[in-house]
């Protein structure tokens, strides 16, 4: 039996920001807990772990921090109950240190806030996810160039970064992460042909390398070659069928560039479900675009198409 997921309809129902925007205490909780979570996320070392493991660590940081707020809610509710009936002598309150918080509205609101305001969260969700034998170099000089490139990237000096990464791959051509970052720096410099060349060199070393597979369609999209971008996204699915990035990318292209909102919405729903399954913070982005498609279809009086596609993907809508 397939599971039915619920998507929070922020844009659809005219809400923005927090799910309970008029509750100042609720907003303060999000800000307060997010500061602690961001410190926890800063301690996560994403090198050498899969995206799934990394997402679990992110989820644990969030859940462990927000779980006490559930106890606070129980205490507040108990206090109000006693105020209503002073004769009550006993109120049962339970606190489960292993209680699952993922999937609750508060969890998702905190997650949204972190995606927008926590640099550590942003770094983690954009870091290398999959590590292969040729990912790193054993050559100290190549590593030195690579680290210089990273430093320049951090300063957004993409020209200097490209030079450093190029020195790294010239020193050690079997260094896929250096090829990946060379491609990224060229992409930032809008040298798209060179970016594609670097990413393809990385794939020659590691055919299943996630970063080049993920970035090649992005480059094609920037070049406005949307058909090649879709084809490149399909290459991700061949290697990583459970990964949401291909569905998310194809969904965006069909929605924003090929004017096929129903097809794009179907892909975006599939991406949303995969993000949910892997506890990925990118669920927030898919959710936002799904809400956008409702707005666009509503203009054309085609909301029936919207609900039909969501139903086919076992997604329910509920107002917050």
């Amino acid at each position: 039996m397939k599971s039915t997921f619920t998507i929070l309809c922020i844009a659809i129902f005219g809400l923005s920001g927090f799910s309970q925007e008029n509750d100042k205490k609720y907003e303060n909780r999000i800000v307060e807990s997010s500061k602690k979570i961001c410190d926890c996320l800063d301690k996560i070392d994403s090198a050498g772990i899969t995206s799934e493991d990394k997402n679990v660590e992110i989820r644990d940081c969030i859940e462990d921090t927000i779980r006490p707020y559930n106890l606070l809610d129980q205490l507040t509710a108990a206090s109000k109950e006693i105020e209503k009936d002073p004769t009550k002598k006993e109120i049962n309150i339970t606190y489960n240190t292993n209680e699952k918080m993922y999937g609750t509205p508060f969890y998702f609101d905190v997650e949204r806030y972190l995606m927008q305001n926590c640099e550590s969260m942003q770094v983690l969700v954009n870091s290398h996810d999959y590590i292969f034998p040729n990912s790193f170099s054993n050559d100290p000089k190549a590593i030195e160039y690579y680290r210089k490139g990273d430093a320049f990237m951090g300063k957004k000096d993409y020209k200097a970064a490209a030079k450093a990464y190029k020195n790294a791959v010239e020193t050690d051509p079997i260094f896929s992460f250096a090829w990946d970052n060379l491609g990224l720096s060229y992409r930032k410099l809008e040298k798209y042909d060179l970016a594609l060349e670097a990413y393809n060199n990385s794939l020659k070393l590691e055919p299943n390398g996630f970063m080049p597979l993920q970035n090649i369609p992005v480059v094609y999209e920037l070049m406005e070659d949307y058909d090649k971008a879709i084809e490149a996204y399909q290459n991700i699915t061949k290697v990583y069928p459970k990964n949401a990035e291909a569905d998310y990318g194809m969904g965006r292209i069909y929605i924003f560039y090929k004017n096929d909102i129903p097809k794009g919405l179907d892909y975006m729903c599939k991406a949303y479900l995969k993000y949910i399954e892997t506890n990925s913070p990118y669920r927030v982005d898919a959710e936002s675009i799904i809400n956008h498609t409702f707005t666009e279809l509503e203009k054309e009086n085609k909301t029936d198409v919207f609900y039909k596609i969501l139903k086919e993907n076992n997604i329910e809508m509920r107002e917050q």
Side-chain angles (χ1 to χ4, degrees):
M1 181 177 178
K2 291 185 177 179
S3 299
T4 299
F5 294 86
T6 302
I7 186 168
L8 311 182
C9 306
I10 301 170
I12 293 174
F13 296 102
L15 301 178
S16 61
F18 301 101
S19 295
Q20 302 175 22
E21 60 181 358
N22 294 322
D23 187 344
K24 194 65 179 177
K25 289 183 179 178
Y26 185 80
E27 294 183 14
N28 289 340
R29 281 189 191 182
I30 291 174
V31 175
E32 179 184 325
S33 59
S34 294
K35 289 178 181 177
K36 298 176 183 176
I37 295 166
C38 200
D39 289 339
C40 177
L41 297 175
D42 192 48
K43 298 173 184 176
I44 295 175
D45 183 3
S46 64
I49 63 174
T50 66
S51 59
E52 288 79 8
D53 289 339
K54 181 176 63 178
N55 289 339
V56 167
E57 291 199 40
I58 292 173
R59 184 198 64 199
D60 288 346
C61 276
I62 298 176
E63 286 194 327
D64 290 345
T65 303
I66 69 174
R67 195 172 285 114
Y69 289 95
N70 187 45
L71 175 61
L72 179 61
D73 286 338
Q74 291 187 59
L75 290 170
T76 301
S79 177
K80 289 181 179 179
E81 194 173 336
I82 292 173
E83 286 179 7
K84 289 180 181 179
D85 185 1
T87 63
K88 281 185 177 288
K89 295 182 178 179
E90 187 174 300
I91 299 292
N92 293 322
I93 295 176
T94 59
Y95 179 63
N96 182 359
T97 56
N98 295 314
E99 180 182 8
K100 181 180 178 182
M101 301 300 296
Y102 182 83
T104 63
F106 185 60
Y107 181 103
F108 285 154
D109 283 341
V110 168
E111 186 183 62
R112 283 192 200 94
Y113 186 86
L114 289 166
M115 288 287 283
Q116 296 172 2
N117 299 282
C118 175
E119 184 178 354
S120 296
M121 179 73 144
Q122 295 163 3
V123 169
L124 280 169
V125 298
N126 287 290
S127 62
H128 289 286
D129 289 333
Y130 300 93
I131 310 299
F132 295 99
N134 290 328
S135 293
F136 291 108
S137 173
N138 293 320
D139 188 311
K141 195 64 178 177
I143 292 293
E144 182 182 346
Y145 284 130
Y146 179 81
R147 288 175 177 165
K148 285 182 179 179
D150 284 350
F152 286 126
M153 286 291 280
K155 297 175 182 177
K156 298 184 179 181
D157 187 346
Y158 304 122
K159 187 175 181 179
K163 183 178 180 181
Y165 290 131
K166 188 175 181 181
N167 286 336
V169 297
E170 286 176 348
T171 303
D172 183 2
I174 307 175
F175 189 175
S176 67
F177 273 6
W179 283 111
D180 291 339
N181 285 359
L182 178 60
L184 179 59
S185 58
Y186 280 142
R187 195 185 91 193
K188 295 290 188 179
L189 293 168
E190 300 184 2
K191 296 182 178 182
Y192 300 130
D193 289 336
L194 291 175
L196 289 173
E197 181 181 344
Y199 287 134
N200 282 314
N201 282 334
S202 177
L203 286 177
K204 289 176 184 177
L205 297 171
E206 298 293 356
N208 295 334
F210 184 72
M211 187 176 181
L213 284 172
Q214 182 184 28
N215 279 278
I216 286 173
V218 173
V219 175
Y220 280 127
E221 187 175 333
L222 291 169
M223 296 171 73
E224 300 183 2
D225 192 337
Y226 302 120
D227 290 333
K228 283 190 177 180
I230 289 172
E231 183 181 342
Y233 275 123
Q234 290 170 341
N235 289 333
I236 299 177
T237 303
K238 293 175 184 176
V239 182
Y240 301 104
K242 294 183 179 180
N243 192 282
E245 297 309 313
D247 293 311
Y248 180 80
M250 288 187 285
R252 282 193 313 99
I253 289 175
Y254 279 112
I255 291 167
F256 296 112
Y257 302 116
K258 295 184 77 68
N259 198 31
D260 190 341
I261 291 179
K263 191 168 187 177
L265 174 60
D266 185 61
Y267 276 118
M268 198 56 62
C269 286
K270 288 176 171 54
Y272 175 81
L273 294 176
K274 289 177 181 178
Y275 285 139
I276 288 288
E277 288 174 5
T278 58
N279 309 304
S280 172
Y282 280 126
R283 172 201 59 79
V284 174
D285 296 329
E287 181 182 279
S288 177
I289 293 177
I290 289 172
N291 288 325
H292 168 79
T293 64
F294 178 90
T295 303
E296 294 302 307
L297 289 170
E298 187 178 40
K299 293 176 184 177
E300 302 176 13
N301 295 316
K302 293 182 179 179
T303 54
D304 56 324
V305 174
F306 177 85
Y307 289 113
K308 178 177 180 291
I309 293 172
L310 263 67
K311 185 177 180 180
E312 290 172 349
N313 284 280
N314 299 293
I315 298 176
E316 292 179 349
M317 308 299 296
R318 67 180 171 87
E319 183 174 1
Q320 284 294 296

